[in-house]
Amino acid sequence: MRYAFQWVRSLIFIIQFYIMLLPWGIVFAIPAIFSRRAAIFCCRSFCWYQMWVAGWLIGLKCEIRGTPPTDEVLIAAKHQSFLDVLMIYSAIPTGRFIMKDILKFAPIVGQFGLRVGCIPVKRGKRGAAIKKMVADVEAGRALPGQLIIYSQGTRIAPGVKAPYKVGTGVLYKELEQDCVPVATNVGVFWPKRGIYRKPGVAVVEFLPRISAGIELDAFMAQLENTVETKSDELMREAGFTAFDT
């Protein structure tokens, strides 16, 4: 009975999530055309609102740990569900994502994503995708802020191990900026697929930054070890134990 009640609440949450995109998009449509700052506020306020609704409607509290960066850095994050997108973006002042190219065609989300400076990248041959990503990032350097990339390239379910893509290392090398790793346990509560949302405390943690200038292989090894170790720790804290061995 408790599961069924939580499932219904989860469904209501998902429905209101997509319904509320419309008034947010309408209210900020014209201001966002003339002001990137307005577009950023629109996106961040939507994130704050949805995190607040998740707290009282489905019992899922959102907790930001560590020190979110405010300068121009590369943020390399663990990606488990759309909730970590909301939490990361809500915590930083001028974030922009490396995002899948198809998302730029999504109503409201795509238009505002491009307006805040997100960089769409087509999936395909790895070499071509990386070159395109680096070129687009270089072209957009005039836009200040924090560039966010998901190092594994997609959502990874809790306990599943997946390789880190070299694109993060290429951006780190080309941008010559510090990198802030981000760990999370959100997938324990908000799955990659499905309706059910589990109550609890979802955590996104900004970890100590990795200074610019480290050799590529050493950087990738340090990044993966740091993010995976802390993410596993956060998931265990949330009661998850079904890790791959």
Side-chain angles (χ1 to χ4, degrees), residues 98 119-121 127-139 147 149 166-168 170-171:
I98 300 290
I119 300 169
V121 176
I130 291 174
K131 288 181 181 178
K132 175 69 162 54
M133 182 167 58
V134 171
D136 287 349
V137 170
E138 288 292 328
L147 181 63
I149 185 169
V166 71
T168 301
V170 173
L171 283 176

Side-chain angles (χ1 to χ4, degrees), residues 231-245:
S231 293
D232 287 353
E233 180 182 314
L234 293 174
M235 286 185 281
R236 288 190 181 95
E237 178 185 314
F240 183 84
T241 58
F243 292 94
D244 282 354
T245 57

Side-chain angles (χ1 to χ4, degrees), residues 162-179:
Y164 277 49
K165 308 294 185 181
V166 71
T168 301
V170 173
L171 283 176
Y172 167 79
K173 180 180 178 181
E174 293 294 327
L175 294 175
E176 299 178 342
Q177 294 177 349
D178 292 351
C179 175

Side-chain angles (χ1 to χ4, degrees), residues 108-128:
I108 301 177
V109 173
Q111 289 70 48
F112 277 88
L114 293 175
R115 188 66 187 94
V116 302
C118 292
I119 300 169
V121 176
K122 291 183 178 180
R123 288 185 175 180
K125 293 183 178 180
R126 187 175 69 175

Side-chain angles (χ1 to χ4, degrees), residues 48-75:
W48 296 327
Y49 174 77
Q50 292 300 336
M51 290 161 60
W52 173 73
V53 173
W56 63 262
L57 180 56
I58 57 177
L60 181 54
K61 308 296 183 182
C62 297
E63 181 178 331
I64 306 294
R65 297 181 185 174
T67 304
T70 58
D71 55 333
E72 293 193 44
V73 296
L74 177 65
I75 294 176

